[in-house]
Amino acid sequence: MIKKAIIPAAGFGTRSLPVTKVVPKELFPIDNKPSIQYVVEEAAAAGIEQILIIVSRSKNLIIDYFDHSMELEMFLQKANKSALMEKVKLPDIKFYSTRQPFARGLGDAVRLGREFVGNDPFAVLLPDDIIVGGGLEELTKVYNETKSHVVALKTVEEEFLKNYGVVQVKQERDDVYEVLDIIEKPQTNPPSNLAVIGRYVFNPSIMDALDEQKPGAGDEIQLTDSIKKVLDSEKCHGKLLSGERYDIAMTEEYIALQRYLQDMKK
C-alpha cells in the first residue's frame, strides 16, 4: 500500500505571473478552495496518510493553510458559526514540509524527500495538475498489481507533445502500458502520443537515480531523466487516466475547470 506522498510546490510559477509574485499558484482559488486542497483530497482518497510538501522561502502560506487556525476556530465557536467549522477542517493526513533552497528542477525537489520516504514506495503529485475523476487511486492499483514504478499518461495532440515527457510503450491492456523509453520535451519525432502528466508512484530506488542525476534540460535535475535511467534495470508502467486533467497554470484551463465545477452544481 502507498501511504506517503510528496507534493513539490517550490516553483516560481512563472507561467502565471504577475499574480504569483505574491500568491502561490497552489493557492489559486477553485470554487472557494485552494487548488492544492484538491490534490491533497485526491491523495487522501487514494489512501495516503503522510504528505511532504516541498516549498521555497516565499511559499510559507501553503504550510500555514494546512495548519490549525486557533484564532479563527475560536471566533467561529464564539460567534455561533460552528457550522462553518466543516469548511476549515483539515484532511486526516499528517503534513510535513521542507524547503528547496534553489530552483534546481522537479527531480531535485523530489529527492529532498529521501529521508521522508525511507524504504517505502511513495507517490508524487504535481499541484499544477487537477484531475477530475480518476487520478492517483488508479496508479496505486497498478502499483499494487505490478510493484513497479507507475506514471500517469494522457493522450496529447502531436503539436503539443514538445511540452511534455513522452513515452515509448508496449501495451499490456486497454489503459495500462509498459514504458520502454521516455523523452523529455521531444522537439521532433515523439515516440508516441502519450505524455506523462503530474501523477507518479515510485519505488524508493528512484532516489538513487535522482542522487546520481546530472542537470539536464534547463540546467535542472529532471525527474524524467531519472525515470529513463531506472528503465535500464527496473520496470515502469504507464496508466492512461480516466479522469480529465486541467493544468491550472494555463489561464484557459483554469477558467475551464471553474466553469466545469460550477456546471456540476446545476
Side-chain angles (χ1 to χ4, degrees):
M1 297 292 289
I2 311 298
K3 299 297 184 183
K4 297 178 179 179
I6 296 173
I7 299 180
F12 285 115
T14 53
R15 291 189 295 162
S16 300
L17 285 169
V19 67
T20 45
K21 285 176 64 179
V22 292
V23 179
K25 65 181 181 295
E26 295 83 6
L27 296 183
F28 284 3
I30 301 173
D31 196 22
N32 282 358
K33 291 195 296 188
S35 58
I36 195 172
Q37 184 165 338
Y38 289 87
V39 178
V40 168
E41 290 173 353
E42 178 189 335
I48 298 299
E49 297 176 355
Q50 301 179 56
I51 290 179
L52 174 67
I53 304 177
I54 311 294
V55 295
S56 60
R57 184 181 60 83
S58 62
K59 288 195 169 184
N60 290 327
L61 279 175
I62 298 172
I63 306 307
D64 292 343
Y65 180 79
F66 290 109
D67 196 2
H68 286 282
S69 176
M70 301 306 296
E71 298 89 347
L72 175 59
E73 293 173 13
M74 289 177 63
F75 168 78
L76 293 176
Q77 290 174 352
K78 289 182 178 180
N80 293 320
K81 296 183 178 181
S82 297
L84 295 177
M85 290 290 290
E86 189 64 27
K87 290 184 177 292
V88 297
K89 183 179 179 181
L90 294 172
D92 188 20
I93 283 179
K94 291 182 179 179
F95 290 97
Y96 305 87
S97 66
T98 192
R99 283 183 177 179
Q100 184 183 23
F102 304 104
R104 298 182 60 195
L106 175 58
D108 181 65
V110 171
R111 71 180 179 180
L112 291 175
R114 176 183 272 279
E115 290 187 12
F116 169 76
V117 168
N119 295 319
D120 299 323
F122 65 101
V124 174
L125 301 93
L126 304 192
D128 286 357
D129 288 354
I130 306 298
I131 311 293
V132 178
L136 182 62
E137 189 172 9
E138 295 182 335
L139 270 67
T140 60
K141 288 180 179 178
V142 176
Y143 178 84
N144 290 336
E145 295 169 2
T146 65
K147 303 303 180 186
S148 72
H149 308 283
V150 189
V151 299
L153 300 177
K154 173 189 176 182
T155 302
V156 173
E157 295 180 13
E158 185 172 358
E159 62 183 300
F160 299 115
L161 288 169
K162 62 185 178 181
N163 300 319
Y164 294 87
V166 183
V167 291
Q168 178 185 353
V169 296
K170 178 175 70 175
Q171 190 167 11
E172 292 192 350
R173 52 183 188 270
D174 286 346
D175 55 359
V176 177
Y177 303 80
E178 181 182 351
V179 176
L180 304 177
D181 196 7
I182 182 168
I183 299 173
E184 178 68 16
K185 297 179 180 178
Q187 300 304 300
T188 59
N189 301 319
S192 74
N193 65 345
L194 295 174
V196 178
I197 57 174
R199 300 293 184 271
Y200 311 81
V201 173
F202 292 120
N203 283 311
S205 57
I206 192 73
M207 291 296 186
D208 294 330
L210 286 167
D211 280 344
E212 297 171 2
Q213 190 64 57
K214 303 296 183 184
D219 200 31
E220 295 181 339
I221 304 297
Q222 297 290 343
L223 182 60
T224 301
D225 292 341
S226 290
I227 296 172
K228 185 181 181 77
K229 184 172 184 177
V230 299
L231 289 176
D232 292 338
S233 56
E234 301 177 54
K235 278 196 172 185
C236 177
H237 285 83
K239 172 68 172 69
L240 190 62
L241 294 186
S242 63
E244 191 69 25
R245 174 253 195 178
Y246 294 86
D247 181 352
I248 64 163
M250 298 179 64
T251 301
E252 61 272 25
E253 293 198 19
Y254 177 64
I255 293 171
L257 174 58
Q258 300 274 27
R259 289 174 175 166
Y260 174 83
L261 293 177
Q262 289 300 315
D263 289 344
M264 290 286 288
K265 291 183 175 182
K266 294 179 181 178

